[in-house]
Amino acid sequence: VGSMNVLIQDEANVVFESLKESGITNMFGAAPYAAEMLGVSLEEAKVLHKGWMEGYTLWADIPGCIEED
């Protein structure tokens, strides 16, 4: 079960990063888009969004992981 959650979060991270790059939505409103794209409930998407947001600060500390404009 734990590895499945990691796989789902990894997939969600790609979706959230794509949404961020596309500019289609403010990232605070990204959960409904992700729910549709991932085929999960809105509640699940909100949990995944929280995971992405929490991890984002960690990625920012890895050189070259997040491109700066």
Side-chain angles (χ1 to χ4, degrees):
V1 174
S3 62
M4 180 60 85
N5 289 342
V6 170
L7 292 175
I8 293 169
Q9 185 66 61
D10 286 347
E11 185 178 353
N13 291 346
V14 171
V15 167
F16 288 118
E17 197 62 29
S18 296
L19 285 168
K20 182 178 82 64
E21 292 297 319
S22 75
I24 196 168
T25 183
N26 176 301
M27 291 313 294
F28 290 106
Y33 291 90
E36 184 176 330
M37 294 170 77
L38 293 166
V40 299
S41 71
L42 181 58
E43 291 75 24
E44 291 169 314
K46 288 178 180 179
V47 170
L48 293 166
H49 184 251
K50 181 180 178 190
W52 176 79
M53 300 265 302
E54 289 173 348
Y56 197 79
T57 56
L58 298 175
W59 302 330
D61 292 336
I62 301 172
C65 190
I66 298 176
E67 293 181 19
E68 301 208 13
D69 294 336

